[in-house]
Amino acid sequence: MRPTSLIVNIVSQSACSTCHAKGACTVSDYQDKEIEVTEYKLNYKVGDEVTILFKQSKGFTALIWGYVIPFFVVLGTLIVALEITGDELKAGILSLIILIPYYITLYFFRHLLKKVLKFELEENA
């Protein structure tokens, strides 16, 4: 029986990490990331190299949900709280605290976001 999803391991490294002088430099960047792919046709085994596809439009959607909307939520809360309280410190703290329920809500709806923002495998049969 085939598993319902694949976990693909991506090794991301900057150009600095392949430099011969990286031992003397602290700039080198090396990251190990995991991506879940739910829809695929072929059978894969551990160690197979695959190509991951992610549409640019889905990247913009992720950008909007992760950065643009929270920015406007913080900005709107800051403006409204400043008008109501007149205290910059309270308005600033409240505008940052408002992000907690926003990201908790995103966390609870992550199953819906996974359907929209899904990675695909390039199938080379």
Side-chain angles (χ1 to χ4, degrees), residues 2-125:
R2 190 171 91 168
T4 58
S5 66
L6 290 176
I7 303 297
V8 179
N9 191 26
I10 296 177
V11 177
S12 175
Q13 56 186 356
S14 68
C16 295
S17 64
T18 58
C19 177
H20 69 281
K22 73 177 181 180
C25 179
T26 60
V27 179
S28 65
D29 184 24
Y30 179 85
Q31 293 180 343
D32 200 18
K33 300 174 186 171
E34 288 185 349
I35 293 176
E36 182 180 7
V37 179
T38 54
E39 295 179 14
Y40 58 96
K41 296 177 184 143
L42 302 175
N43 288 323
Y44 297 96
K45 61 184 183 299
V46 175
D48 286 350
E49 288 192 20
V50 295
T51 302
I52 300 291
L53 302 174
F54 193 71
K55 293 182 182 174
Q56 186 174 9
S57 61
K58 292 180 182 182
F60 287 128
T61 303
L63 179 82
I64 288 170
W65 281 106
Y67 296 103
V68 175
I69 292 174
F71 170 75
F72 286 111
V73 167
V74 167
L75 186 63
T77 304
L78 181 65
I79 292 169
V80 170
L82 190 57
E83 287 295 319
I84 291 173
T85 65
D87 185 0
E88 292 177 1
L89 180 63
K90 288 179 184 174
I93 290 172
L94 182 63
S95 66
L96 292 176
I97 289 174
I98 200 73
L99 288 176
I100 295 170
Y102 175 79
Y103 283 112
I104 288 173
T105 304
L106 278 186
Y107 177 77
F108 283 119
F109 287 102
R110 70 186 180 276
H111 61 281
L112 295 175
L113 288 173
K114 276 186 178 182
K115 291 179 183 177
V116 175
L117 306 171
K118 61 183 171 185
F119 292 91
E120 299 172 4
L121 284 179
E122 184 177 68
E123 305 284 353
N124 295 328

